[in-house]
Amino acid sequence: MPIPIPADCQAFVREQIEAGHYSSPAEMVHAGLILLEDHVATQQRKLAWLREAIREGIESGPATELDMEDIIRESRAAFEREQPGKRRDQPAA
């Protein structure tokens, strides 16, 4: 299948072949198609991940009001549980 190369791309193709990166325009087009195929697959994976995140968010129910003081208190308590024997006001050894 012959594929015409647009005039504004022909110089770039020639430069890449002359630099030894590709042996022919067909090889360069093939490399470009592989990159495009990978890009499309990556976009599809990202879209699937995003759709799943949206679905999980919707299924989790309505948002609830957050109290920043409660969040800080719970975070400090969790940290202190992970650091047995250390108090916040003690300097690090």
Side-chain angles (χ1 to χ4, degrees):
M1 159 186 345
I3 300 173
I5 297 175
D8 60 331
C9 296
Q10 289 178 10
F12 178 66
V13 171
R14 269 194 306 277
E15 290 168 8
Q16 295 300 302
I17 292 169
E18 289 170 3
H21 298 297
Y22 302 94
S23 62
S24 68
E27 183 183 350
M28 194 169 173
V29 168
H30 183 251
L33 288 172
I34 290 171
L35 289 173
L36 180 58
E37 192 174 42
D38 182 58
H39 174 74
V40 168
T42 299
Q43 292 303 99
Q44 289 174 340
R45 284 190 304 273
K46 287 179 179 179
L47 186 57
W49 177 87
L50 184 57
R51 285 182 173 145
E52 177 63 16
I54 290 169
R55 185 193 60 72
E56 288 176 7
I58 291 169
E59 289 178 0
S60 71
T64 58
E65 193 170 322
L66 300 175
D67 181 345
M68 200 61 194
E69 292 301 318
D70 284 342
I71 293 171
I72 293 169
R73 197 171 18 263
E74 289 171 15
S75 295
R76 285 184 178 151
F79 178 77
E80 288 174 7
R81 281 192 304 272
E82 292 175 10
Q83 306 291 320
K86 283 191 176 183
R87 291 185 12 212
R88 281 192 356 215
D89 56 351
Q90 288 179 328

